[in-house]
Amino acid sequence: MSKLFEPISLGGLTLPNRIVIAPMCQYSSDEGKATSWHHAHLGQLSFSGAGLLILEATAVEAAGRISAQDLGLWDDETEAALKGLVDGLRENSNIPLGLQLGHAGRKASHAAPWKGGAQIPQSAGGWQTVAPSALPFAEGTEAPVALSAERISELKKAYVDSVRRADRLGFDLLELHGAHGYLLHQFLSPLSNQRTDQYGGSLENRMRLLLEIFQEIRAAFPADKPIGVRISATDWVEGGWDLEQSVELAKALDKLGCSYIHVSSGGLSQHQKITVGPNYQVPFADSIKQHVKMPVIAVGLITEPEQAEAIVGTGQADMIALARGILYNPRWPWHAAAKLGAKVYAPKQYWRSEPHSVKGLFLPE
């Protein structure tokens, strides 16, 4: 029996297998509103047979978008557009749906990757960015404004408001984005956080905002619905956020009832030095798993079914997440199930595609 295709429970939500589609920014929204691209893109992924589909990083306020084309959930218009998307997905697929909530902080106001990805200054149509400290992400770019205590309170409210909207929309799960150099990661790392108040300095202080926001959104979302957190386990820069600190954060989240932790890395500094290869982030997930009760998701260059099976089967992580790999092959879970002798959910309209060599591959939704 394949461990990868065993069910797993996150709070009151049971996933049919341990394959997660990670959040992937599409830079294709209209002033925060989902568009026809999202219907097409997420529609095909909803037929993938994965255990969970998490929508891309969704900004809790307009200033928190990475680009002007980022998805958002901060007002009635963005909520209405997302409702049309969710309703369309639900009509055709039973895949559990998650939403990642985030704020880009000093990495906001950037162009889409295919337009170079550079920061757009205010003089060219960009906007003022914010951060824990007035330190720019890259040399030669506009500095962010350090968040005041008042703005931090407003930010917490924005997260809670977005959570309530997400619940109305019927999302099964939420993920708090604390990774990849965005705002909550900026508070965690001493490279970007040089505050002298209760949100800066010691590890306890640098973790404070993420933990406070987690508690507030946990209280605002139904208790039976899971909320997880995505982190970067290391900045890959000496003197920055690292695995030891990530373990302490994970232990603190575990005590607060976090449903899972999704372990990535990097994104905070242009000085990062990453040696990329298959499973290159899995040891971080494995190390964190030794210290927490909650499930752990591993992600990063996991491309082969046998590779994913080994990660879960040996207990290095409880789930694996796919991003670029499932964009390249949106039926990856089907192929993995066929190779591992497992079964996978597929829409009835596609049952005829079942290969002769793997009869009984598809389960009815």
Side-chain angles (χ1 to χ4, degrees):
M1 173 67 95
S2 166
K3 185 74 172 179
L4 185 65
F5 284 89
E6 283 186 5
I8 185 170
S9 293
L10 306 176
L13 176 67
T14 298
L15 309 182
N17 58 58
R18 278 102 183 300
I19 303 168
V20 176
I21 299 179
M24 292 175 280
C25 290
Q26 296 296 294
Y27 307 100
S28 298
S29 303
D30 174 19
E31 296 298 329
K33 299 185 290 293
T35 65
S36 61
W37 173 259
H38 295 93
H39 289 256
H41 161 65
L42 294 165
Q44 68 169 339
L45 293 180
S46 73
F47 300 151
S48 67
L52 173 66
L53 170 57
I54 307 179
L55 274 64
E56 66 191 83
T58 300
V60 298
E61 62 177 18
R65 293 171 295 169
I66 304 165
S67 78
Q69 293 75 42
D70 275 26
L71 197 63
L73 185 57
W74 62 73
D75 61 12
D76 292 345
E77 287 190 5
T78 52
E79 181 179 347
L82 206 49
K83 184 179 190 306
L85 172 63
V86 171
D87 288 349
L89 294 172
R90 297 289 195 201
E91 285 177 12
N92 298 296
S93 174
N94 292 327
I95 193 169
L97 295 176
L99 184 69
Q100 186 188 69
L101 294 176
H103 193 296
R106 69 180 188 177
K107 291 181 75 174
S109 192
H110 279 65
W114 53 84
K115 293 183 178 180
Q119 185 191 63
I120 301 174
Q122 295 178 69
S123 60
W127 59 90
Q128 178 63 63
T129 62
V130 297
S133 303
L135 302 171
F137 173 66
E139 293 181 12
T141 60
E142 292 183 353
V145 170
L147 284 164
S148 66
E150 182 180 7
R151 276 290 282 129
I152 287 175
S153 295
E154 292 173 355
L155 183 69
K156 291 179 184 178
K157 182 178 184 302
Y159 272 96
V160 170
D161 288 346
S162 292
V163 165
R164 289 181 174 140
R165 293 181 186 277
D167 184 37
R168 284 200 296 266
L169 291 169
F171 280 98
D172 301 301
L173 169 150
L174 293 178
E175 182 170 281
L176 182 61
H177 199 350
H180 300 159
Y182 299 121
L183 185 63
L184 296 183
H185 184 183
Q186 291 162 27
F187 270 87
L188 293 174
S189 176
L191 299 178
S192 48
N193 183 348
Q194 296 184 7
R195 298 175 74 96
T196 57
D197 63 2
Q198 71 268 34
Y199 292 107
S202 67
L203 174 60
E204 180 183 7
N205 283 356
R206 285 182 281 114
M207 296 194 306
R208 188 183 307 277
L209 182 60
L210 189 152
L211 296 176
E212 287 180 348
I213 289 175
F214 177 83
Q215 291 177 87
E216 294 201 20
I217 66 173
R218 181 64 280 176
F221 202 50
D224 61 328
K225 290 187 176 184
I227 300 180
V229 177
R230 194 174 201 187
I231 69 165
S232 282
T234 176
D235 290 337
W236 298 99
V237 179
E238 187 175 351
W241 183 255
D242 57 21
L243 177 59
E244 183 180 359
Q245 295 172 87
S246 292
V247 167
E248 293 306 310
L249 174 62
K251 288 160 64 175
L253 285 167
D254 210 32
K255 289 179 181 178
L256 294 176
C258 189
S259 302
Y260 68 86
I261 190 161
H262 189 170
V263 184
S264 187
S265 71
L268 184 107
S269 171
Q270 290 193 316
H271 301 294
Q272 64 185 19
K273 295 180 180 179
I274 307 176
T275 302
V276 176
N279 283 16
Y280 76 105
Q281 294 177 152
V282 173
F284 300 136
D286 189 14
S287 294
I288 289 172
K289 184 170 167 53
Q290 309 309 313
H291 297 276
V292 296
K293 295 178 182 177
M294 62 179 161
V296 176
I297 302 176
V299 66
L301 273 182
I302 300 168
T303 59
E304 305 304 319
E306 298 89 346
Q307 178 189 10
E309 178 71 25
I311 293 166
V312 176
T314 59
Q316 293 175 283
D318 300 284
M319 296 172 279
I320 61 97
L322 304 173
R324 291 175 175 88
I326 206 161
L327 289 184
Y328 188 73
N329 177 8
R331 300 289 180 267
W332 192 95
W334 292 13
H335 301 153
K339 187 164 282 190
L340 298 172
K343 297 180 183 295
V344 68
Y345 287 102
K348 56 184 177 294
Q349 294 91 337
Y350 289 177
W351 290 351
R352 290 182 299 168
S353 72
E354 184 180 72
H356 288 286
S357 59
V358 284
K359 286 297 182 183
L361 172 66
F362 293 144
L363 295 165
E365 282 205 326

